[in-house]
Amino acid sequence: MSPLFLIFLLHIITGAATQLRTGYYSGACPKAECIVRDVMKRALMREPRSLASVMRLQFHDCFVNGCDASLLLDDTPTMLGEKLALANINSLRSYEVVDEAKESLEKVCPGVVSCADIIIMASRDAVALTGGPDWEVKLGRLDSLKASQEASDNIMPSPRANATFLIDLFGKFNLSVKDLVALSGSHSIGKARCFSIMFRLYNQSGTGRPDPTIEPLFREKLDKLCPSNVDQNMTGDLDATPVLFDNQYFKDLVSGRGFLNSDQTLFTFPQTRSFVRQFSTYRGKFFKAFVKGMIKMGDLQIKQPGEVRRNCRVVNAL
Ligand code: HEM
Ligand SMILES: *[C@@H]1O[C@H](CO)[C@@H](O)[C@H](O)[C@H]1NC(C)=O
Ligand SMILES: *[C@@H]1O[C@H](CO)[C@@H](O)[C@H](O)[C@H]1NC(C)=O
Ligand SMILES: *[C@@H]1O[C@H](CO)[C@@H](O)[C@H](O)[C@H]1NC(C)=O
Ligand SMILES: *[C@@H]1O[C@H](CO)[C@@H](O)[C@H](O)[C@H]1NC(C)=O
């Protein structure tokens, strides 16, 4: 291929970071949003947890070079993908649900709906189908041509993180303290591994002791779920109602029953505590702030070449 042609090609595929808008596919693929919702409904019947797992993909995609489906690219001989990054390996799951949505969409309107938009639609549907709010999503994203495992490793927070650190991290993405607390409410659904809480059960901050902010009866329960010699892939519920999107997560935090350190810290630290209290009392305020946060997170984009992938796991062949 001549260098000139390459420049031309780059020119036409550049211009991602486009204006996102609601109803973006109403002309080219009017059924797009229905198709994704149907796939999510089927996923709910097969395995309720998969909705939480899909929703989590939005966070792990959008924080790493914007919402561009870079997360979904498999490793190639020349590129390490993000799926094996520290925060994702043995943890992110349900990629096959996104594949199913993509296949259904390709049958009806080939080459039209981006994988990045599928993640955004499916995340919204996951919340709506588990009892949470429903909202209009802005669409029109393009899929990236590359991924960055290194960027993911540098950015995605550890379950050990404290509120100060998280406020700072979310601030880098123009997300407010309120956005941080509301978005953490996504842990109203889904599960986490013992791996993510062993340190807080047995050696918080290297003290050789458990995290003192865990309510004693809840700690007994966690100790039973995750004894020190446990298979650390064992999982526990992130809140007391793990298949219902509600404000139980915040009630749990108020009573010292947060699962992850990064959850409980939101009640321990004064900067975030008032929002936790507010959301624990007013479900409607949580829902409203959550939707606002998801939309802001979905707006994260960088200027880079893009395309509509035919298969979410690989870039289109030139
Ligand atoms: C505030 C910083 C956050 C931290 C430190 C964090 C960390 C984690 C960790 C450690 C897990 C369990 C992983 C495992 O043990 O395999 C998890 C699960 C989950 N996270 Fe987060 N998370 C954060 C924010 C978010 C956000 C913003 C969202 C989405 C909007 C989200 C959605 C989820 C969901 C739905 C699950 C359960 C997934 C499943 O059951 O497969 N998290 N998170
Ligand atoms: C919060 O975490 C950061 C980064 O790990 C650490 O430097 C800081 O001392 C912690 N803050 C408190 C008050 O524990
Ligand atoms: C945050 O907002 C500032 C000012 O509006 C803008 O310059 C910056 O690019 C934004 N950062 C991100 C990550 O969106
Ligand atoms: C606890 O963590 C500290 C520092 O991370 C480490 O030096 C120590 O050996 C750990 N103790 C136990 C009992 O694992
Ligand atoms: C969890 O399972 C995976 C794959 O089966 C394995 O590679 C990994 O080492 C396990 N992780 C832990 C913390 O036990």
Side-chain angles (χ1 to χ4, degrees), residues 202-203 205-208:
Y202 303 109
N203 195 4
S205 313
T207 56

Side-chain angles (χ1 to χ4, degrees), residues 19-35:
Q19 200 60 46
L20 305 175
R21 58 184 169 84
T22 56
Y24 181 83
Y25 295 110
S26 59
C29 192
K31 290 223 168 91
E33 298 198 41
C34 290
I35 290 172

Side-chain angles (χ1 to χ4, degrees), residues 72-141:
L72 301 178
L73 290 173
D74 286 336
D75 286 354
T76 70
T78 56
M79 186 196 72
L80 291 175
E82 294 166 23
K83 288 178 180 175
L84 302 185
L86 292 171
N88 302 344
I89 186 170
N90 298 326
S91 183
L92 289 190
R93 56 199 294 284
S94 301
Y95 297 112
E96 73 284 352
V97 177
V98 178
D99 290 335
E100 193 184 326
K102 182 62 181 174
E103 277 159 32
S104 305
L105 287 164
E106 287 301 293
K107 273 184 207 140
V108 181
C109 12
V112 173
V113 181
S114 68
C115 299
D117 280 342
I118 295 175
I119 292 178
I120 299 290
M121 289 184 262
S123 298
R124 180 268 312 270
D125 295 339
V127 174
L129 291 170
T130 51
D134 202 350
W135 67 97
E136 287 288 330
V137 287
K138 289 188 267 176
L139 302 169
R141 295 166 191 78

Side-chain angles (χ1 to χ4, degrees), residues 66-310:
C67 313
D68 61 356
S70 58
L71 176 66
L72 301 178
L73 290 173
D74 286 336
D75 286 354
T76 70
T78 56
M79 186 196 72
L80 291 175
E82 294 166 23
K83 288 178 180 175
L84 302 185
L86 292 171
N88 302 344
I89 186 170
N90 298 326
S91 183
L92 289 190
R93 56 199 294 284
S94 301
Y95 297 112
E96 73 284 352
V97 177
V98 178
D99 290 335
E100 193 184 326
K102 182 62 181 174
E103 277 159 32
S104 305
L105 287 164
E106 287 301 293
K107 273 184 207 140
V108 181
C109 12
V112 173
V113 181
S114 68
C115 299
D117 280 342
I118 295 175
I119 292 178
I120 299 290
M121 289 184 262
S123 298
R124 180 268 312 270
D125 295 339
V127 174
L129 291 170
T130 51
D134 202 350
W135 67 97
E136 287 288 330
V137 287
K138 289 188 267 176
L139 302 169
R141 295 166 191 78
L142 289 176
D143 301 324
S144 72
L145 304 182
K146 53 186 172 43
S148 177
Q149 189 173 101
E150 198 189 352
S152 179
D153 284 343
N154 286 329
I155 294 166
M156 295 317 293
S158 149
R160 304 181 183 219
N162 62 36
T164 316
F165 179 86
L166 292 171
I167 289 170
D168 208 58
L169 174 70
F170 276 59
K172 290 188 177 122
F173 295 95
N174 286 342
L175 294 166
S176 67
V177 177
K178 189 173 182 180
D179 294 328
L180 162 66
V181 178
L183 287 169
S184 297
S186 59
H187 292 171
S188 173
I189 53 175
K191 288 169 173 273
R193 293 167 299 160
C194 287
F195 176 77
S196 300
I197 60 166
M198 292 309 274
F199 70 94
R200 87 181 276 245
L201 293 182
Y202 303 109
N203 195 4
Q204 176 79 331
S205 313
T207 56
R209 308 196 50 79
D211 175 353
T213 68
I214 311 176
E215 187 269 316
L217 282 176
F218 188 63
R219 179 152 64 79
E220 258 177 51
K221 195 177 144 182
L222 293 182
D223 283 350
K224 274 202 196 101
L225 177 75
C226 309
S228 55
N229 60 349
V230 76
D231 166 4
Q232 296 196 21
N233 282 318
M234 288 287 296
T235 57
D237 300 334
L238 280 166
D239 84 348
T241 57
V243 293
L244 250 196
F245 192 99
D246 57 9
N247 63 338
Q248 181 63 42
Y249 166 83
F250 296 105
K251 295 179 185 169
D252 290 348
L253 297 188
V254 171
S255 55
R257 293 166 163 257
F259 195 82
L260 304 172
N261 187 68
S262 56
D263 295 324
Q264 195 57 51
T265 183
L266 298 176
F267 190 67
T268 310
F269 280 55
Q271 305 97 301
T272 42
R273 188 184 299 142
S274 58
F275 290 117
V276 173
R277 273 201 202 287
Q278 188 183 70
F279 295 154
S280 76
T281 315
Y282 302 106
R283 194 184 70 143
K285 290 196 177 177
F286 162 49
F287 281 6
K288 202 169 155 213
F290 182 80
V291 168
K292 201 170 161 202
M294 287 294 275
I295 292 172
K296 274 169 88 173
M297 181 162 72
D299 282 344
L300 295 172
Q301 292 189 85
I302 59 164
K303 261 204 156 43
Q304 64 173 341
E307 64 180 5
V308 173
R309 274 180 224 147
R310 283 188 287 272

